[in-house]
């Protein structure tokens, strides 16, 4: 008698469906040239910011005014120097770490909180949904930049503070998106079956609602990170950035604008290009993920 394990009906299809779905998702994503370009650009920027200082170490703490505003190509300074004598190439690396760390942390925190808020609101409905959505609408009514500037002006900025401030205004979008998904998912058969077996609301939210809305969450997360990096630049441009000697790309851009009339273009273009590249990369990746999670495209 054969000792082969007996596979329950339908299990073979389930085992084959998951790899097939993953392959279709990956195929759609890799078929998007802009998304692949975004991934390559992001990897290169991360390597530039985190591995670059190992290849090109510089002093980004002590100023040297005798070397201030040296043009690109000066001995030992490929991209020139800043108004305080910092090597501009090394400054870009240091600033990039701050911008990326704050942007990534704020985007992830905003997505996490917004996902839980929206899932709870949409699943429970009734007065719970009404109260939670009115809170969301009230915060949405306040212009984000106004709120960011007011809070950042009151509290001394630091990386941790900037993460909390940006996340405090960025969670609204994922909350509304996930609420819409929860409203559609809470009446599905598997959720009803879970209720019939005595499952509670916490299990429904974290085992059924959130996992089945993961496509929307992941796509929105990429856009949240891109927006958070822009918020960091906005605040830094207004003078509300991490305290020196730390810096970010927005602070570098703000400092460079001061010397526009002097023709010191190298103080403006490098940080500006870096901001455009990283924000564009995350947006391209988000577009690619949106197409990859789109069921209609996967079935083609």
């Amino acid at each position: 008698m054969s000792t082969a394990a007996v596979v329950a009906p339908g299990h073979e299809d389930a085992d084959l469906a998951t790899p097939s779905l993953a392959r279709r998702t990956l195929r759609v994503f890799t078929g998007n040239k802009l998304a692949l370009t975004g991934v390559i650009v992001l990897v290169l920027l991360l390597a530039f910011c985190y591995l670059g200082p190992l290849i090109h170490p510089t002093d980004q703490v002590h100023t040297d005014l005798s070397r201030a505003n040296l043009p690109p190509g000066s001995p030992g300074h490929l991209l020139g120097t800043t108004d305080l004598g910092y090597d501009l190439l090394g400054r870009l690396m240091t600033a990039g770490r701050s911008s990326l760390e704050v942007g990534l942390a704020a985007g992830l925190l905003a997505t996490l909180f917004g996902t839980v808020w929206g899932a709870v609101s949409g699943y429970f409905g009734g007065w719970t949904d009404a109260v939670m959505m009115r809170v969301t609408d009230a915060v949405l009514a306040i212009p984000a930049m106004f709120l960011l500037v007011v809070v950042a002006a009151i509290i001394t900025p630091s990386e941790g503070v900037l993460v909390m401030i940006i996340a405090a205004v960025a969670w609204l979008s994922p909350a509304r998106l996930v609420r819409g998904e929860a409203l559609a998912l809470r009446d599905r058969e598997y959720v009803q079956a879970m209720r019939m077996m005595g499952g509670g609301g916490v299990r429904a939210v974290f085992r059924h609602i959130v996992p089945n809305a993961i496509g929307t969450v992941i796509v929105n997360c990429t856009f949240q990170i891109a927006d958070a990096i822009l918020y960091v630049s906005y605040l830094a441009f207004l003078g509300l950035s991490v305290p020196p000697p730390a810096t970010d790309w927005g602070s570098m851009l703000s400092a460079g604008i001061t010397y526009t009339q002097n023709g010191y273009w190298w103080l403006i273009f490098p940080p500006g290009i870096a901001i455009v590249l990283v924000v564009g990369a995350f947006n391209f990746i988000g577009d690619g993920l949106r197409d990859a999670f789109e069921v209609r495209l996967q079935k083609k």
Side-chain angles (χ1 to χ4, degrees):
M1 183 175 178
S2 174
T3 58
V6 178
V7 180
H11 282 202
E12 289 183 273
D13 293 338
D15 291 340
L16 294 174
T18 301
S20 178
L21 180 61
R23 284 195 297 268
R24 288 199 299 269
T25 301
L26 183 61
R27 184 174 65 248
V28 173
F29 182 81
T30 55
N32 189 320
K33 303 304 181 185
L34 286 178
L36 287 179
T37 301
V39 171
I40 293 171
V41 169
L42 183 59
V43 170
L44 291 176
L45 283 172
L46 289 172
F48 172 75
C49 294
Y50 288 93
L51 300 180
L54 301 178
I55 301 172
H56 181 68
T58 58
D59 183 359
Q60 296 297 321
V61 176
H62 304 95
T63 62
D64 185 359
L65 297 180
S66 65
R67 294 179 174 271
N69 296 322
L70 293 179
S74 299
H77 304 289
L78 182 63
L79 295 183
T81 62
T82 69
D83 57 314
L84 296 177
Y86 295 121
D87 178 77
L88 188 60
L89 183 58
R91 201 68 172 163
L92 273 177
M93 298 173 186
T94 301
R97 289 201 298 271
S98 296
S99 294
L100 290 170
E101 287 169 3
V102 173
L104 284 167
L108 291 172
L109 180 60
T111 302
L112 177 62
F113 183 78
T115 297
V116 175
W117 185 278
V120 170
S121 176
Y123 174 77
F124 287 100
W127 66 268
T128 302
D129 181 45
V131 171
M132 295 180 75
M133 284 301 101
R134 295 300 76 76
V135 172
T136 304
D137 292 339
V139 180
L140 275 172
I142 305 174
M145 278 307 301
F146 173 77
L147 186 60
L148 285 172
V149 171
V150 170
V151 176
I154 295 173
I155 304 173
T156 303
S158 66
E159 284 196 9
V161 169
L162 288 175
V163 168
M164 298 301 296
I165 292 173
I166 295 171
V169 299
W171 64 271
L172 304 170
S173 175
R176 297 185 70 86
L177 286 173
V178 175
R179 173 184 177 266
E181 294 282 335
L183 289 173
L185 292 170
R186 68 179 183 177
D187 295 324
R188 297 287 178 89
E189 291 80 0
Y190 54 83
V191 177
Q192 297 297 329
M194 182 274 301
R195 287 176 177 171
M196 294 291 292
M197 290 186 292
V202 174
R203 181 181 178 84
V205 168
F206 291 101
R207 292 294 299 274
H208 297 285
I209 302 299
V210 172
N212 283 283
I214 196 64
T216 300
V217 172
I218 291 175
V219 172
N220 184 259
C221 184
T222 60
F223 296 125
Q224 289 299 320
I225 293 172
D227 289 345
I229 292 173
L230 282 178
Y231 279 136
V232 174
S233 302
Y234 296 156
L235 291 173
F237 193 82
L238 296 173
L240 302 170
S241 63
V242 293
T247 187
D248 55 68
W249 286 331
S251 298
M252 292 182 66
L253 192 60
S254 178
I257 292 294
T258 307
Y259 296 91
T260 302
Q261 300 298 325
N262 296 10
Y264 299 155
W265 56 268
W266 59 89
L267 299 180
I268 302 172
F269 284 101
I273 292 173
I275 294 171
V276 171
L277 284 176
V278 72
V279 172
F282 275 110
N283 279 305
F284 289 152
I285 293 172
D287 288 338
L289 289 173
R290 181 189 58 200
D291 293 344
F293 283 110
E294 178 58 53
V295 176
R296 289 171 297 178
L297 288 177
Q298 292 176 354
K299 290 182 178 179
K300 288 185 179 179

